[in-house]
Amino acid sequence: AQSVTQPDIHITVSEGASLELRCNYSYGATPYLFWYVQSPGQGLQLLLKYFSGDTLVQGIKGFEAEFKRSQSSFNLRKPSVHWSDAAEYFCAVGEYDAGKSTFGDGTTLTVKP
Amino acid sequence: EPEVTQTPSHQVTQMGQEVILRCVPISNHLYFYWYRQILGQKVEFLVSFYNNEISEKSEIFDDQFSVERPDGSNFTLKIRSTKLEDSAMYFCASSIVGSGYTFGSGTRLTVV
């Protein structure tokens, strides 16, 4: 069975600082990995995805993530956070790109002025 | 940019009543899903649908739940006899191979 762990429930960073959100997954085969963002009262928006190939993937809004098979990780990064990035972030793993996804518990990002 | 549209945005229903949540997926997408998120909890998979049939469902998706694509554009989730614990945000999503999901903005279901 697949699972996702997001170790940080809540992270606070200052505007302009760098950000890294952690994600560890458990899956026997090559995983399909996703990061989503959810603003309060809104749906989930896909930030980026990894299916194969280059392990560093670029997404929307200046986010990137790196797939590290040896560490079973898919951490999300942004070099300079903006106040509008405050939201909840979910990592997810799937068996294939159009299959069921299993989501982590989410990390709430607060941005200090 | 194409969107997944969900209606209504908020539904209040009495326990034991039937509810139908509606979704219009992106027109060229072939895979459809329902997920739910109980307040403060993680997003949980309910069901996936492809080629006019359920391709996978979770343990949550028991006999009180059903899905339908009645007319080639809508995708509905029916809950036959709602319980208090069905109160949650229900998200519809659609995808094509290689795209990842596009989620709708959700229907907040409140069972009283």
Side-chain angles (χ1 to χ4, degrees):
Chain A
Q2 55 204 26
S3 66
V4 175
T5 302
Q6 292 181 248
D8 304 304
I9 297 171
H10 195 165
I11 282 186
T12 300
V13 298
S14 298
E15 190 167 17
S18 65
L19 171 70
E20 182 168 31
L21 302 181
R22 296 184 290 163
C23 172
N24 293 97
Y25 68 89
S26 173
Y27 183 60
T30 300
Y32 290 79
L33 295 161
F34 310 86
W35 274 100
Y36 294 89
V37 60
Q38 184 181 34
S39 297
Q42 301 296 310
L44 297 106
Q45 183 182 23
L46 179 67
L47 287 175
L48 47 77
K49 60 186 185 288
Y50 171 78
F51 292 167
S52 64
D54 193 346
T55 56
L56 184 64
V57 293
Q58 303 296 321
I60 61 171
K61 306 186 183 198
F63 286 93
E64 66 178 29
E66 186 170 13
F67 170 58
K68 292 186 177 179
R69 184 187 298 275
S70 61
Q71 299 176 18
S72 297
S73 69
F74 188 57
N75 294 347
L76 182 71
R77 300 194 293 247
K78 186 168 185 178
S80 177
V81 168
H82 187 260
W83 64 265
S84 60
D85 293 324
E88 184 139 25
Y89 291 80
F90 292 93
C91 181
V93 62
E95 296 172 358
Y96 58 101
D97 57 359
K100 152 191 153 182
S101 280
T102 298
F103 284 74
D105 289 334
T107 298
T108 302
L109 173 66
T110 299
V111 180
K112 291 190 305 186
Chain B
E1 189 169 325
E3 290 185 340
V4 173
T5 305
Q6 288 188 244
T7 54
S9 56
H10 193 180
Q11 173 126 21
V12 181
T13 188
Q14 292 212 321
M15 194 167 53
Q17 294 298 303
E18 173 183 287
V19 295
I20 297 176
L21 309 183
R22 302 181 192 279
C23 170
V24 180
I26 293 173
S27 59
N28 66 330
H29 283 190
L30 301 176
Y31 298 84
F32 314 111
Y33 315 84
W34 284 99
Y35 282 77
R36 79 172 185 190
Q37 185 180 30
I38 295 172
L39 188 63
Q41 297 187 23
K42 68 168 67 179
V43 178
E44 301 175 292
F45 170 77
L46 292 179
V47 66
S48 57
F49 192 87
Y50 171 72
N51 201 24
N52 285 320
E53 60 182 26
I54 290 174
S55 45
E56 191 169 2
K57 60 183 181 179
S58 72
E59 298 162 351
I60 303 167
F61 194 88
D62 61 21
D63 291 345
Q64 72 160 340
F65 290 91
S66 62
V67 289
E68 198 176 34
R69 188 156 162 79
D71 55 14
S73 61
N74 291 282
F75 179 53
T76 61
L77 174 70
K78 183 192 290 186
I79 309 175
R80 272 182 253 287
S81 178
T82 49
K83 305 175 196 157
L84 293 175
E85 55 265 36
D86 294 327
S87 295
M89 184 76 98
Y90 288 80
F91 292 107
C92 174
S94 68
S95 76
I96 51 174
V97 172
S99 74
Y101 293 173
T102 301
F103 278 92
S105 53
T107 294
R108 180 168 298 286
L109 176 65
T110 303
V111 182
V112 297

